[in-house]
Amino acid sequence: MGTAASAPVEKPQHITVEFDVSCSIPVEEIVNISEQAGKAIMQIYNSADHGVELKGDESPLTKADTESNRIICEGLQRVSPHVPIISEENKTLPYSIRKGYQYCWVVDPLDGTKEFIKRNGEFTVMIGLVQGSAAVLGVVHVPVSGKTYYAVAGKGAYVRDADGTTKQIHAKEFSMTDPGLVLVGSTSHANPSNNTAMRDFVELFESPTFNSYGSSLKLLMVAEGDAHVYPRLAPTMEWDTAAADIIVKEAGGVVLQAGKITGKGELLEDWKDVLVKELPMEYNKEDLLNPCFVVFGKRRV
């Protein structure tokens, strides 16, 4: 007696299951993690041995970077074990994996390592949460002052002092034609005196004041109203801006793309042509190198 032929069955690997995971993450938890990392950084900062070495790209790495990264990653894994982490000090996974992330943490455990080594106090801890390609939560802790800045999309931007006092912050309102605007730039990188693109940008303003600071402090200055504009026409990575990006936005400012750049600082696009498009920064890209960007406070039309 013959056996009936079985109908072909679709292989299991071609069957997919789609589901959403709901999770609530208290901002206070992320603030606490950043402050714990800040305390560890300060212990090393005040010690005799920073354990400085060079990474493959010749950028410096210290004991503080490594210890802060450990504290942050362990803390984030405890709070949100299902959310992947992109950190400057972790191995970056291929984009073929990362492009499927609905959410991811973007972390710089010690933003401003060069400033840390110089002992000028201008360094921060940065923890940002990205949804798709946009930052939606940001916490930036300043270890030397004890201040912590934070923001969530649609909820406003805030700063908490070392004594626990918390207040909402707002970017300063201005017009691009106002004289005497305050511009900020990098302590360790390009400045108007030796960079043609920066000099051209600064020349757009009437009698501006130009100050130099390290790390993400420059974005925070715009968010808090201590500066009007921060042009960055030099290389940065996504973890250098993600956390502070949403803080600026929630304070009433913007962070806009200003053209592609190489890791060596070669401009691939004219910043003027790109800036007028008003394009927001994007995160978890295939290439984690940021484009040039400009941070504006609250511009009057």
Side-chain angles (χ1 to χ4, degrees), residues 185-205:
S186 174
T187 297
S188 298
H189 295 91
N191 61 65
S193 65
N194 59 18
N195 181 282
T196 301
M198 283 287 286
R199 186 165 58 248
D200 291 344
F201 182 87
V202 172
E203 287 178 353
L204 295 175
F205 302 89

Side-chain angles (χ1 to χ4, degrees), residues 9 41 55 66 83 98 105 115 140 150 156-157 159 161 164 204 245 254-255 260 262 267-268 290:
V9 177
I41 288 172
K55 295 188 285 188
T66 303
V83 180
R98 292 190 291 106
W105 295 105
E115 316 312 322
V140 180
Y150 60 92
V159 59
D161 292 334
L204 295 175
D245 186 327
V254 290
V255 185
K260 294 180 181 178
T262 69
L267 299 178
L268 302 178
N290 278 333

Side-chain angles (χ1 to χ4, degrees), residues 231-250:
R232 178 68 182 208
L233 307 180
T236 59
M237 300 299 290
E238 290 188 8
W239 42 72
D240 294 316
T241 58
D245 186 327
I246 184 63
I247 295 173
V248 171
K249 290 177 183 176
E250 287 300 308

Side-chain angles (χ1 to χ4, degrees), residues 15-69:
I15 301 173
T16 61
V17 177
E18 296 183 6
F19 61 92
D20 292 322
V21 177
S22 178
C23 177
S24 177
I25 302 174
V27 176
E28 185 66 23
E29 292 272 7
I30 311 305
V31 169
N32 289 339
I33 291 170
S34 75
E35 292 176 346
Q36 290 170 21
K39 290 178 181 178
I41 288 172
M42 289 306 297
Q43 287 182 345
I44 298 170
Y45 185 67
N46 293 322
S47 71
D49 181 17
H50 291 171
V52 181
E53 57 185 82
L54 292 180
K55 295 188 285 188
D57 61 358
E58 298 188 353
S59 62
L61 177 73
T62 70
K63 290 180 179 179
D65 294 86
T66 303
E67 181 62 10
S68 176
N69 190 60

Side-chain angles (χ1 to χ4, degrees), residues 7-235:
V9 177
E10 185 176 8
K11 295 180 180 179
Q13 59 264 36
H14 296 305
I15 301 173
T16 61
V17 177
E18 296 183 6
F19 61 92
D20 292 322
V21 177
S22 178
C23 177
S24 177
I25 302 174
V27 176
E28 185 66 23
E29 292 272 7
I30 311 305
V31 169
N32 289 339
I33 291 170
S34 75
E35 292 176 346
Q36 290 170 21
K39 290 178 181 178
I41 288 172
M42 289 306 297
Q43 287 182 345
I44 298 170
Y45 185 67
N46 293 322
S47 71
D49 181 17
H50 291 171
V52 181
E53 57 185 82
L54 292 180
K55 295 188 285 188
D57 61 358
E58 298 188 353
S59 62
L61 177 73
T62 70
K63 290 180 179 179
D65 294 86
T66 303
E67 181 62 10
S68 176
N69 190 60
R70 181 190 67 78
I71 291 170
I72 292 170
C73 289
E74 289 180 359
L76 294 179
Q77 288 168 354
R78 182 181 66 254
V79 172
S80 56
H82 59 293
V83 180
I85 301 170
I86 298 173
S87 170
E88 179 177 14
E89 306 310 335
N90 292 350
K91 181 179 179 180
T92 301
L93 295 177
Y95 185 63
S96 58
I97 296 174
R98 292 190 291 106
K99 68 181 181 180
Y101 292 171
Q102 292 182 4
Y103 289 87
C104 63
W105 295 105
V106 179
V107 172
D108 193 339
L110 178 53
D111 180 49
T113 301
K114 291 180 181 178
E115 316 312 322
F116 176 91
I117 294 170
K118 293 176 184 177
R119 299 188 61 82
N120 64 16
E122 297 175 0
F123 50 87
T124 64
V125 175
M126 302 188 69
I127 305 175
L129 180 65
V130 168
Q131 179 182 10
S133 63
V136 294
L137 179 155
V139 173
V140 180
H141 178 63
V142 187
V144 169
S145 69
K147 288 186 175 182
T148 306
Y149 297 78
Y150 60 92
V152 175
K155 305 292 186 180
Y158 302 85
V159 59
R160 185 167 79 181
D161 292 334
D163 63 4
T165 303
T166 301
K167 66 178 181 180
Q168 189 168 4
I169 59 174
H170 303 277
K172 185 169 290 185
E173 186 173 332
F174 70 98
S175 170
M176 295 287 286
T177 58
D178 290 345
L181 295 180
V182 178
L183 279 61
V184 287
S186 174
T187 297
S188 298
H189 295 91
N191 61 65
S193 65
N194 59 18
N195 181 282
T196 301
M198 283 287 286
R199 186 165 58 248
D200 291 344
F201 182 87
V202 172
E203 287 178 353
L204 295 175
F205 302 89
E206 181 181 347
S207 304
T209 297
F210 193 93
N211 298 320
S212 297
Y213 294 91
S215 73
S216 59
L217 290 173
K218 299 178 288 294
L219 288 98
L220 300 178
M221 291 181 67
V222 176
E224 202 167 11
D226 293 329
H228 298 93
V229 186
Y230 164 36
R232 178 68 182 208
L233 307 180

